[in-house]
Structure formats: structure tokens, C-alpha cells
Amino acid sequence: MDDLDRKLLSALAADSSTPTSQLARQAGVARSTVQARIERLKHSGVIAGYTIRLGETAERRRIRATVLLHIEPRSTAPLVQRLKTMPQVESCHSTTGRMDLVLQLVAESTGELDEALDRIGAIPGVRDTESLIHLSCKFDRRT
């Protein structure tokens, strides 16, 4: 990856709907160069896809939680497969320490979140859970 690739990735990360012609003007290169670079970045796996980022108004209506899981030995793979089927589970990370997995959940209501937490606790292999409900965001470097 060179400076042009990094500029394109930065611009697309800020707004993935930026037209190719605008990216080319910003980078000072031909539109065809930008198209070729983006295709190369896709094929090499650097760009895995495009998504939207919800605005503050939509995000404020959602309830977020971090859930820590302590699980049975050798139950990670089937447990993770079950978690993947739950739309409320945004991410799942293995970790060190007394807990084995860290989940990020999002729900439209406390009832939906409560139901998701009950379903997680009932998955075979889950020994213990600890839920941390997010109250407010002080800052987020991803935005």
C-alpha cells in the first residue's frame, strides 16, 4: 500500500458513498486510476465491503451493552455459531482474564435486550455472564 491507497481508504472510511470522480479530484489523479486502485484493494482483501454509519438521532434510540461471558472449555466454536444467529450481537471477541468472550450487543428496547441476554445465558456452554449497559457515549474515535 502506498500513499494514494491510504488516502483513498481514509476518504472512503469517512464517507463510502463519495463518488470516484470526487476521490480522483481530492487525490489529484485520474478517475480511472482511482477505480483501478479501489478494485485492487477489494481483490486483495484490504476493502472487505461498504456499510453505513447511523447518525446520532438513530443511535440515541438504540440500547447498547457489553456482555462478558465465562464459558465451558471446548465450547467456543458451537457457542460462537449460536451467537452469530442473534442479530443483537454486533461483535464477539475472545479475551484474556477471568472471562472468555466479550460481546457487543445492540437492541431497540430494554425488552429486546433482556430477551437477548436470557437467550445468551441459556446457550449450552455458558457458565456465567456479566452485562454492562452503556449509558452515554463520551467519545468514539470510530466516527
Side-chain angles (χ1 to χ4, degrees), residues 45-72:
V46 173
I47 294 177
Y50 301 94
T51 186
I52 64 165
R53 187 175 62 233
L54 294 177
E56 192 175 317
T57 303
E59 274 298 319
R60 261 187 268 139
R61 294 184 186 129
R62 301 171 86 190
I63 299 165
R64 295 191 161 280
T66 299
V67 180
L68 309 172
L69 298 182
H70 182 216
I71 62 174
E72 300 283 340

PDB file of all heavy atoms in Angstrom, residues 45-72:
ATOM      1  N   GLY A  45      -8.337  -7.921  -0.537  1.00  0.00           N
ATOM      2  CA  GLY A  45      -8.946  -8.106   0.775  1.00  0.00           C
ATOM      3  C   GLY A  45      -8.773  -6.937   1.724  1.00  0.00           C
ATOM      4  O   GLY A  45      -9.240  -6.988   2.856  1.00  0.00           O
ATOM      5  N   VAL A  46      -8.130  -5.865   1.265  1.00  0.00           N
ATOM      6  CA  VAL A  46      -7.984  -4.683   2.126  1.00  0.00           C
ATOM      7  C   VAL A  46      -9.347  -4.036   2.344  1.00  0.00           C
ATOM      8  O   VAL A  46      -9.692  -3.645   3.453  1.00  0.00           O
ATOM      9  CB  VAL A  46      -6.978  -3.666   1.515  1.00  0.00           C
ATOM     10  CG1 VAL A  46      -6.957  -2.373   2.306  1.00  0.00           C
ATOM     11  CG2 VAL A  46      -5.590  -4.285   1.460  1.00  0.00           C
ATOM     12  N   ILE A  47     -10.140  -3.931   1.275  1.00  0.00           N
ATOM     13  CA  ILE A  47     -11.523  -3.456   1.396  1.00  0.00           C
ATOM     14  C   ILE A  47     -12.412  -4.691   1.392  1.00  0.00           C
ATOM     15  O   ILE A  47     -12.480  -5.417   0.403  1.00  0.00           O
ATOM     16  CB  ILE A  47     -11.904  -2.507   0.235  1.00  0.00           C
ATOM     17  CG1 ILE A  47     -11.091  -1.222   0.304  1.00  0.00           C
ATOM     18  CG2 ILE A  47     -13.405  -2.187   0.291  1.00  0.00           C
ATOM     19  CD1 ILE A  47     -11.354  -0.264  -0.851  1.00  0.00           C
ATOM     20  N   ALA A  48     -13.089  -4.909   2.512  1.00  0.00           N
ATOM     21  CA  ALA A  48     -13.943  -6.087   2.642  1.00  0.00           C
ATOM     22  C   ALA A  48     -15.393  -5.777   2.265  1.00  0.00           C
ATOM     23  O   ALA A  48     -16.167  -6.680   2.015  1.00  0.00           O
ATOM     24  CB  ALA A  48     -13.887  -6.624   4.066  1.00  0.00           C
ATOM     25  N   GLY A  49     -15.765  -4.511   2.249  1.00  0.00           N
ATOM     26  CA  GLY A  49     -17.129  -4.137   1.916  1.00  0.00           C
ATOM     27  C   GLY A  49     -17.401  -2.712   2.343  1.00  0.00           C
ATOM     28  O   GLY A  49     -16.533  -2.029   2.882  1.00  0.00           O
ATOM     29  N   TYR A  50     -18.609  -2.280   2.100  1.00  0.00           N
ATOM     30  CA  TYR A  50     -19.039  -0.928   2.441  1.00  0.00           C
ATOM     31  C   TYR A  50     -20.252  -1.028   3.341  1.00  0.00           C
ATOM     32  O   TYR A  50     -21.031  -1.971   3.259  1.00  0.00           O
ATOM     33  CB  TYR A  50     -19.399  -0.138   1.186  1.00  0.00           C
ATOM     34  CG  TYR A  50     -18.257  -0.014   0.211  1.00  0.00           C
ATOM     35  CD1 TYR A  50     -18.096  -0.913  -0.833  1.00  0.00           C
ATOM     36  CD2 TYR A  50     -17.323   0.997   0.342  1.00  0.00           C
ATOM     37  CE1 TYR A  50     -17.049  -0.807  -1.726  1.00  0.00           C
ATOM     38  CE2 TYR A  50     -16.263   1.117  -0.539  1.00  0.00           C
ATOM     39  CZ  TYR A  50     -16.136   0.211  -1.578  1.00  0.00           C
ATOM     40  OH  TYR A  50     -15.090   0.323  -2.448  1.00  0.00           O
ATOM     41  N   THR A  51     -20.424  -0.036   4.183  1.00  0.00           N
ATOM     42  CA  THR A  51     -21.552  -0.053   5.095  1.00  0.00           C
ATOM     43  C   THR A  51     -21.988   1.382   5.371  1.00  0.00           C
ATOM     44  O   THR A  51     -21.361   2.329   4.910  1.00  0.00           O
ATOM     45  CB  THR A  51     -21.177  -0.775   6.406  1.00  0.00           C
ATOM     46  OG1 THR A  51     -22.349  -0.895   7.208  1.00  0.00           O
ATOM     47  CG2 THR A  51     -20.105  -0.035   7.183  1.00  0.00           C
ATOM     48  N   ILE A  52     -23.048   1.523   6.140  1.00  0.00           N
ATOM     49  CA  ILE A  52     -23.464   2.841   6.579  1.00  0.00           C
ATOM     50  C   ILE A  52     -23.156   2.990   8.062  1.00  0.00           C
ATOM     51  O   ILE A  52     -23.015   2.009   8.777  1.00  0.00           O
ATOM     52  CB  ILE A  52     -24.969   3.094   6.344  1.00  0.00           C
ATOM     53  CG1 ILE A  52     -25.814   2.132   7.184  1.00  0.00           C
ATOM     54  CG2 ILE A  52     -25.308   3.022   4.883  1.00  0.00           C
ATOM     55  CD1 ILE A  52     -27.253   2.538   7.283  1.00  0.00           C
ATOM     56  N   ARG A  53     -23.057   4.207   8.505  1.00  0.00           N
ATOM     57  CA  ARG A  53     -22.894   4.508   9.917  1.00  0.00           C
ATOM     58  C   ARG A  53     -24.121   5.314  10.310  1.00  0.00           C
ATOM     59  O   ARG A  53     -24.394   6.353   9.701  1.00  0.00           O
ATOM     60  CB  ARG A  53     -21.602   5.297  10.133  1.00  0.00           C
ATOM     61  CG  ARG A  53     -21.271   5.503  11.587  1.00  0.00           C
ATOM     62  CD  ARG A  53     -19.919   6.184  11.764  1.00  0.00           C
ATOM     63  NE  ARG A  53     -19.911   7.503  11.157  1.00  0.00           N
ATOM     64  CZ  ARG A  53     -18.998   7.926  10.273  1.00  0.00           C
ATOM     65  NH1 ARG A  53     -18.043   7.139   9.880  1.00  0.00           N
ATOM     66  NH2 ARG A  53     -19.060   9.126   9.767  1.00  0.00           N
ATOM     67  N   LEU A  54     -24.877   4.815  11.271  1.00  0.00           N
ATOM     68  CA  LEU A  54     -26.093   5.506  11.688  1.00  0.00           C
ATOM     69  C   LEU A  54     -25.763   6.851  12.309  1.00  0.00           C
ATOM     70  O   LEU A  54     -24.751   7.002  12.991  1.00  0.00           O
ATOM     71  CB  LEU A  54     -26.873   4.659  12.691  1.00  0.00           C
ATOM     72  CG  LEU A  54     -27.460   3.360  12.154  1.00  0.00           C
ATOM     73  CD1 LEU A  54     -28.145   2.602  13.281  1.00  0.00           C
ATOM     74  CD2 LEU A  54     -28.418   3.612  11.011  1.00  0.00           C
ATOM     75  N   GLY A  55     -26.634   7.798  12.065  1.00  0.00           N
ATOM     76  CA  GLY A  55     -26.482   9.126  12.646  1.00  0.00           C
ATOM     77  C   GLY A  55     -26.819   9.133  14.118  1.00  0.00           C
ATOM     78  O   GLY A  55     -27.385   8.170  14.661  1.00  0.00           O
ATOM     79  N   GLU A  56     -26.501  10.233  14.749  1.00  0.00           N
ATOM     80  CA  GLU A  56     -26.693  10.359  16.186  1.00  0.00           C
ATOM     81  C   GLU A  56     -28.153  10.167  16.592  1.00  0.00           C
ATOM     82  O   GLU A  56     -28.454   9.561  17.614  1.00  0.00           O
ATOM     83  CB  GLU A  56     -26.191  11.732  16.654  1.00  0.00           C
ATOM     84  CG  GLU A  56     -26.073  11.868  18.141  1.00  0.00           C
ATOM     85  CD  GLU A  56     -25.454  13.198  18.535  1.00  0.00           C
ATOM     86  OE1 GLU A  56     -24.478  13.618  17.906  1.00  0.00           O
ATOM     87  OE2 GLU A  56     -25.990  13.797  19.483  1.00  0.00           O
ATOM     88  N   THR A  57     -29.080  10.657  15.774  1.00  0.00           N
ATOM     89  CA  THR A  57     -30.501  10.529  16.090  1.00  0.00           C
ATOM     90  C   THR A  57     -30.911   9.067  16.175  1.00  0.00           C
ATOM     91  O   THR A  57     -31.580   8.650  17.121  1.00  0.00           O
ATOM     92  CB  THR A  57     -31.348  11.244  15.025  1.00  0.00           C
ATOM     93  OG1 THR A  57     -30.936  12.610  14.964  1.00  0.00           O
ATOM     94  CG2 THR A  57     -32.818  11.180  15.355  1.00  0.00           C
ATOM     95  N   ALA A  58     -30.500   8.265  15.206  1.00  0.00           N
ATOM     96  CA  ALA A  58     -30.845   6.835  15.203  1.00  0.00           C
ATOM     97  C   ALA A  58     -30.108   6.095  16.308  1.00  0.00           C
ATOM     98  O   ALA A  58     -30.678   5.218  16.965  1.00  0.00           O
ATOM     99  CB  ALA A  58     -30.520   6.217  13.846  1.00  0.00           C
ATOM    100  N   GLU A  59     -28.847   6.433  16.525  1.00  0.00           N
ATOM    101  CA  GLU A  59     -28.053   5.750  17.553  1.00  0.00           C
ATOM    102  C   GLU A  59     -28.600   5.993  18.948  1.00  0.00           C
ATOM    103  O   GLU A  59     -28.556   5.118  19.798  1.00  0.00           O
ATOM    104  CB  GLU A  59     -26.583   6.193  17.490  1.00  0.00           C
ATOM    105  CG  GLU A  59     -25.755   5.406  16.506  1.00  0.00           C
ATOM    106  CD  GLU A  59     -25.673   3.923  16.838  1.00  0.00           C
ATOM    107  OE1 GLU A  59     -25.532   3.539  18.003  1.00  0.00           O
ATOM    108  OE2 GLU A  59     -25.749   3.135  15.891  1.00  0.00           O
ATOM    109  N   ARG A  60     -29.107   7.191  19.209  1.00  0.00           N
ATOM    110  CA  ARG A  60     -29.624   7.509  20.537  1.00  0.00           C
ATOM    111  C   ARG A  60     -30.821   6.637  20.905  1.00  0.00           C
ATOM    112  O   ARG A  60     -31.088   6.426  22.080  1.00  0.00           O
ATOM    113  CB  ARG A  60     -30.029   8.973  20.617  1.00  0.00           C
ATOM    114  CG  ARG A  60     -28.962   9.807  21.270  1.00  0.00           C
ATOM    115  CD  ARG A  60     -29.421  11.209  21.502  1.00  0.00           C
ATOM    116  NE  ARG A  60     -29.015  11.968  20.334  1.00  0.00           N
ATOM    117  CZ  ARG A  60     -29.728  12.891  19.723  1.00  0.00           C
ATOM    118  NH1 ARG A  60     -30.902  13.231  20.169  1.00  0.00           N
ATOM    119  NH2 ARG A  60     -29.286  13.504  18.662  1.00  0.00           N
ATOM    120  N   ARG A  61     -31.524   6.141  19.923  1.00  0.00           N
ATOM    121  CA  ARG A  61     -32.705   5.313  20.178  1.00  0.00           C
ATOM    122  C   ARG A  61     -32.352   3.865  20.477  1.00  0.00           C
ATOM    123  O   ARG A  61     -33.203   3.088  20.876  1.00  0.00           O
ATOM    124  CB  ARG A  61     -33.631   5.356  18.969  1.00  0.00           C
ATOM    125  CG  ARG A  61     -34.221   6.705  18.728  1.00  0.00           C
ATOM    126  CD  ARG A  61     -35.203   6.644  17.577  1.00  0.00           C
ATOM    127  NE  ARG A  61     -35.662   7.976  17.272  1.00  0.00           N
ATOM    128  CZ  ARG A  61     -35.662   8.505  16.062  1.00  0.00           C
ATOM    129  NH1 ARG A  61     -35.262   7.792  15.032  1.00  0.00           N
ATOM    130  NH2 ARG A  61     -36.079   9.729  15.866  1.00  0.00           N
ATOM    131  N   ARG A  62     -31.111   3.492  20.261  1.00  0.00           N
ATOM    132  CA  ARG A  62     -30.691   2.105  20.443  1.00  0.00           C
ATOM    133  C   ARG A  62     -30.022   1.935  21.807  1.00  0.00           C
ATOM    134  O   ARG A  62     -29.389   2.837  22.316  1.00  0.00           O
ATOM    135  CB  ARG A  62     -29.725   1.716  19.336  1.00  0.00           C
ATOM    136  CG  ARG A  62     -30.362   1.878  17.960  1.00  0.00           C
ATOM    137  CD  ARG A  62     -29.373   1.708  16.873  1.00  0.00           C
ATOM    138  NE  ARG A  62     -29.288   0.290  16.577  1.00  0.00           N
ATOM    139  CZ  ARG A  62     -28.382  -0.242  15.802  1.00  0.00           C
ATOM    140  NH1 ARG A  62     -27.456   0.491  15.258  1.00  0.00           N
ATOM    141  NH2 ARG A  62     -28.375  -1.526  15.570  1.00  0.00           N
ATOM    142  N   ILE A  63     -30.175   0.748  22.367  1.00  0.00           N
ATOM    143  CA  ILE A  63     -29.573   0.433  23.664  1.00  0.00           C
ATOM    144  C   ILE A  63     -28.387  -0.481  23.398  1.00  0.00           C
ATOM    145  O   ILE A  63     -28.502  -1.475  22.693  1.00  0.00           O
ATOM    146  CB  ILE A  63     -30.593  -0.240  24.593  1.00  0.00           C
ATOM    147  CG1 ILE A  63     -31.768   0.713  24.825  1.00  0.00           C
ATOM    148  CG2 ILE A  63     -29.942  -0.653  25.906  1.00  0.00           C
ATOM    149  CD1 ILE A  63     -32.968   0.053  25.420  1.00  0.00           C
ATOM    150  N   ARG A  64     -27.248  -0.122  23.959  1.00  0.00           N
ATOM    151  CA  ARG A  64     -26.022  -0.892  23.753  1.00  0.00           C
ATOM    152  C   ARG A  64     -25.593  -1.519  25.066  1.00  0.00           C
ATOM    153  O   ARG A  64     -25.828  -0.972  26.137  1.00  0.00           O
ATOM    154  CB  ARG A  64     -24.902   0.002  23.245  1.00  0.00           C
ATOM    155  CG  ARG A  64     -25.188   0.549  21.885  1.00  0.00           C
ATOM    156  CD  ARG A  64     -23.949   1.218  21.284  1.00  0.00           C
ATOM    157  NE  ARG A  64     -24.120   1.312  19.855  1.00  0.00           N
ATOM    158  CZ  ARG A  64     -23.914   0.324  18.996  1.00  0.00           C
ATOM    159  NH1 ARG A  64     -23.496  -0.838  19.409  1.00  0.00           N
ATOM    160  NH2 ARG A  64     -24.110   0.480  17.711  1.00  0.00           N
ATOM    161  N   ALA A  65     -24.933  -2.669  24.944  1.00  0.00           N
ATOM    162  CA  ALA A  65     -24.424  -3.354  26.130  1.00  0.00           C
ATOM    163  C   ALA A  65     -23.160  -4.115  25.766  1.00  0.00           C
ATOM    164  O   ALA A  65     -22.994  -4.570  24.630  1.00  0.00           O
ATOM    165  CB  ALA A  65     -25.462  -4.325  26.684  1.00  0.00           C
ATOM    166  N   THR A  66     -22.273  -4.215  26.729  1.00  0.00           N
ATOM    167  CA  THR A  66     -21.118  -5.098  26.637  1.00  0.00           C
ATOM    168  C   THR A  66     -21.429  -6.274  27.543  1.00  0.00           C
ATOM    169  O   THR A  66     -21.865  -6.087  28.687  1.00  0.00           O
ATOM    170  CB  THR A  66     -19.839  -4.376  27.103  1.00  0.00           C
ATOM    171  OG1 THR A  66     -19.612  -3.262  26.247  1.00  0.00           O
ATOM    172  CG2 THR A  66     -18.643  -5.304  27.083  1.00  0.00           C
ATOM    173  N   VAL A  67     -21.261  -7.475  27.026  1.00  0.00           N
ATOM    174  CA  VAL A  67     -21.565  -8.677  27.797  1.00  0.00           C
ATOM    175  C   VAL A  67     -20.297  -9.525  27.872  1.00  0.00           C
ATOM    176  O   VAL A  67     -19.687  -9.827  26.854  1.00  0.00           O
ATOM    177  CB  VAL A  67     -22.720  -9.481  27.161  1.00  0.00           C
ATOM    178  CG1 VAL A  67     -23.008 -10.721  27.978  1.00  0.00           C
ATOM    179  CG2 VAL A  67     -23.963  -8.607  27.035  1.00  0.00           C
ATOM    180  N   LEU A  68     -19.909  -9.864  29.087  1.00  0.00           N
ATOM    181  CA  LEU A  68     -18.737 -10.705  29.332  1.00  0.00           C
ATOM    182  C   LEU A  68     -19.214 -12.127  29.599  1.00  0.00           C
ATOM    183  O   LEU A  68     -20.131 -12.331  30.400  1.00  0.00           O
ATOM    184  CB  LEU A  68     -17.962 -10.178  30.535  1.00  0.00           C
ATOM    185  CG  LEU A  68     -17.607  -8.686  30.509  1.00  0.00           C
ATOM    186  CD1 LEU A  68     -17.007  -8.265  31.837  1.00  0.00           C
ATOM    187  CD2 LEU A  68     -16.692  -8.367  29.360  1.00  0.00           C
ATOM    188  N   LEU A  69     -18.611 -13.098  28.913  1.00  0.00           N
ATOM    189  CA  LEU A  69     -19.014 -14.490  29.080  1.00  0.00           C
ATOM    190  C   LEU A  69     -17.877 -15.343  29.613  1.00  0.00           C
ATOM    191  O   LEU A  69     -16.752 -15.263  29.117  1.00  0.00           O
ATOM    192  CB  LEU A  69     -19.441 -15.099  27.736  1.00  0.00           C
ATOM    193  CG  LEU A  69     -20.625 -14.504  26.992  1.00  0.00           C
ATOM    194  CD1 LEU A  69     -20.881 -15.299  25.724  1.00  0.00           C
ATOM    195  CD2 LEU A  69     -21.850 -14.479  27.862  1.00  0.00           C
ATOM    196  N   HIS A  70     -18.195 -16.152  30.592  1.00  0.00           N
ATOM    197  CA  HIS A  70     -17.292 -17.200  31.067  1.00  0.00           C
ATOM    198  C   HIS A  70     -17.900 -18.492  30.535  1.00  0.00           C
ATOM    199  O   HIS A  70     -19.076 -18.777  30.797  1.00  0.00           O
ATOM    200  CB  HIS A  70     -17.235 -17.198  32.588  1.00  0.00           C
ATOM    201  CG  HIS A  70     -16.295 -18.208  33.150  1.00  0.00           C
ATOM    202  ND1 HIS A  70     -16.536 -18.878  34.306  1.00  0.00           N
ATOM    203  CD2 HIS A  70     -15.104 -18.667  32.714  1.00  0.00           C
ATOM    204  CE1 HIS A  70     -15.548 -19.717  34.553  1.00  0.00           C
ATOM    205  NE2 HIS A  70     -14.672 -19.597  33.594  1.00  0.00           N
ATOM    206  N   ILE A  71     -17.118 -19.260  29.767  1.00  0.00           N
ATOM    207  CA  ILE A  71     -17.681 -20.429  29.097  1.00  0.00           C
ATOM    208  C   ILE A  71     -16.943 -21.714  29.473  1.00  0.00           C
ATOM    209  O   ILE A  71     -15.824 -21.677  29.988  1.00  0.00           O
ATOM    210  CB  ILE A  71     -17.684 -20.248  27.565  1.00  0.00           C
ATOM    211  CG1 ILE A  71     -16.261 -20.100  27.017  1.00  0.00           C
ATOM    212  CG2 ILE A  71     -18.535 -19.055  27.173  1.00  0.00           C
ATOM    213  CD1 ILE A  71     -16.182 -20.052  25.505  1.00  0.00           C
ATOM    214  N   GLU A  72     -17.605 -22.832  29.189  1.00  0.00           N
ATOM    215  CA  GLU A  72     -17.024 -24.151  29.421  1.00  0.00           C
ATOM    216  C   GLU A  72     -15.852 -24.369  28.462  1.00  0.00           C
ATOM    217  O   GLU A  72     -15.892 -23.890  27.331  1.00  0.00           O
ATOM    218  CB  GLU A  72     -18.068 -25.245  29.154  1.00  0.00           C
ATOM    219  CG  GLU A  72     -19.303 -25.180  30.014  1.00  0.00           C
ATOM    220  CD  GLU A  72     -19.074 -25.706  31.409  1.00  0.00           C
ATOM    221  OE1 GLU A  72     -18.108 -26.457  31.624  1.00  0.00           O
ATOM    222  OE2 GLU A  72     -19.881 -25.352  32.296  1.00  0.00           O
TER     223      GLU A  72
END
